């Protein structure tokens, strides 16, 4: 009997000092026990909660669903349900709680539905903020991708050897080369032979540590149809936080201006 009493005392200490709230309710939803930790979650003294319906503080938007789940839990002994819902705090505000209900009405030692719950308001707010930031980033990415995909400028990324690692779709419209045909090629292989040495030299200077630009200038570039187009380009080393492994070049066809 002493062991049983000690075990019961430890169990009570765990419930009364735990961070989760614990309620015991009847089949009618009346609260017959609320642990002291409930006050830290919803601001109500356990003595004020006893005798009230557990559904009284549920948000109106979730009330019908909670009633349905409660009825479902009553339908079979041992049924366990979990979910998140808004719950009115004693100060009138709404908090989000995560609750697990377990039908132990059939257990003579319990004879109630046991509900464990915790405040997850901050966790949900953090998750919602993350989702909102992610969606904003995706919208921004779609916006800038649309600018690149539909713009008249030629945008490319070259590694330190001058190999093309990215080419905007505008290359196909202006120069006849699809991005797939350009990626992996040396950009200098398509520069006019008379301009190659100058452009390679400017690129070398622009890729040195501390350089403010990645090189560039005006040069002739071969169109896929074999003709030569006059291109004006300027390169920039990537910003440290840009996530780009190469030098970004913006260029435009200025043949008509020549």
């Amino acid at each position: 009997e002493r062991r049983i009493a000690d075990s019961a005392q430890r169990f009570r200490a765990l419930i009364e000092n735990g961070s989760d709230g614990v309620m015991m309710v009847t089949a009618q939803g009346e609260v017959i026990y609320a642990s002291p930790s409930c006050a830290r979650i919803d601001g109500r003294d356990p003595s004020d909660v006893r005798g009230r319906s557990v559904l009284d503080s549920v948000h109106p938007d979730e009330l019908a669903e909670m009633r349905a789940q409660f009825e479902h839990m009553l339908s079979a002994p041992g049924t366990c349900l979990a979910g998140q819902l808004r719950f009115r705090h004693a100060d009138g505000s709404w908090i989000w709680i995560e609750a697990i209900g377990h039908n132990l009405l059939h257990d003579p030692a319990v004879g109630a539905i046991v509900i464990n719950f915790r405040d997850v308001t901050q966790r949900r707010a953090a998750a919602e903020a993350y989702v909102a930031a992610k969606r904003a980033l995706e919208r921004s990415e779609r916006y800038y991708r649309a600018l690149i995909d539909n713009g008249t400028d030629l945008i490319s990324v070259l590694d330190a050897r001058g190999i093309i690692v990215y080419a905007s779709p505008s290359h196909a419209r202006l120069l006849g080369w699809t991005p797939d045909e350009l990626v992996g090629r040396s950009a200098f292989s398509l520069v006019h032979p008379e301009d190659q040495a100058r452009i390679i030299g400017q690129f070398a200077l622009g890729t040195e540590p501390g350089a403010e630009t990645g090189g560039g200038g005006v040069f002739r570039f071969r169109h896929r149809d074999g003709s030569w187009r006059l291109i004006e380009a300027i390169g920039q080393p990537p910003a440290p936080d840009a996530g780009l492994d190469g030098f970004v070049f913006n260029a435009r066809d200025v043949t008509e201006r020549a």
Side-chain angles (χ1 to χ4, degrees):
E1 291 182 359
R2 177 62 181 272
R3 286 197 300 271
I4 295 175
D6 288 346
S7 177
Q9 186 174 357
R10 285 195 297 271
F11 182 70
R12 178 176 292 274
L14 287 172
I15 291 178
E16 294 184 350
N17 296 283
S19 59
D20 285 8
V22 180
M23 286 185 181
M24 297 173 66
V25 303
T26 66
Q28 291 72 42
E30 178 186 336
V31 179
I32 56 177
Y33 171 79
S35 67
S37 51
C38 292
R40 295 194 293 271
I41 298 173
D42 68 6
R44 294 182 178 84
D45 188 274
S47 61
D48 296 331
V49 177
R50 287 192 292 270
R52 296 179 54 184
S53 170
V54 70
L55 298 176
D56 283 352
S57 297
V58 174
H59 193 281
D61 290 348
E62 277 106 41
L63 186 56
E65 181 183 353
M66 288 303 105
R67 280 178 175 157
Q69 289 196 13
F70 192 81
E71 291 297 325
H72 176 68
M73 195 159 45
L74 289 175
S75 65
T79 300
C80 187
L81 293 176
Q84 292 187 0
L85 65 146
R86 282 169 290 183
F87 202 79
R88 186 181 292 279
H89 193 277
D91 64 9
S93 65
W94 293 101
I95 61 173
W96 279 97
I97 65 169
E98 185 175 66
I100 300 176
H102 196 181
N103 182 359
L104 296 176
L105 289 165
H106 64 289
D107 188 335
V110 181
I113 293 174
V114 180
I115 301 174
N116 294 74
F117 65 99
R118 64 182 61 179
D119 185 347
V120 294
T121 307
Q122 291 186 350
R123 192 175 81 191
R124 280 187 65 101
E128 289 171 358
Y130 170 77
V131 171
K134 185 178 180 182
R135 286 176 178 169
L137 182 62
E138 289 172 348
R139 286 195 299 270
S140 177
E141 182 180 350
R142 288 195 298 269
Y143 172 76
Y144 285 107
R145 179 171 292 278
L147 289 180
I148 292 173
D149 289 352
N150 298 288
T152 56
D153 278 8
L154 302 160
I155 300 175
S156 58
V157 179
L158 276 59
D159 67 13
R161 299 170 298 160
I163 302 298
I164 301 171
V165 296
Y166 170 80
S168 63
S170 52
H171 283 77
R173 295 196 307 273
L174 301 176
L175 296 173
W177 301 99
T178 66
D180 287 342
E181 290 175 318
L182 293 173
V183 170
R185 295 187 62 166
S186 169
F188 308 124
S189 68
L190 296 171
V191 174
H192 194 283
E194 295 177 2
D195 299 332
Q196 277 186 5
R198 173 172 54 85
I199 294 302
I200 291 173
Q202 290 178 347
F203 181 78
L205 290 174
T207 55
E208 289 181 351
E212 295 183 358
T213 68
V218 179
F219 54 91
R220 287 163 290 182
F221 196 90
R222 186 159 61 87
H223 193 283
R224 199 176 190 282
D225 65 11
S227 64
W228 294 101
R229 308 296 295 178
L230 194 62
I231 300 297
E232 182 180 62
I234 183 68
Q236 293 288 340
D241 59 348
L244 292 173
D245 187 18
F247 296 83
V248 181
F249 281 82
N250 286 74
R252 62 184 57 188
D253 186 342
V254 295
T255 306
E256 304 306 322
R257 284 168 28 192

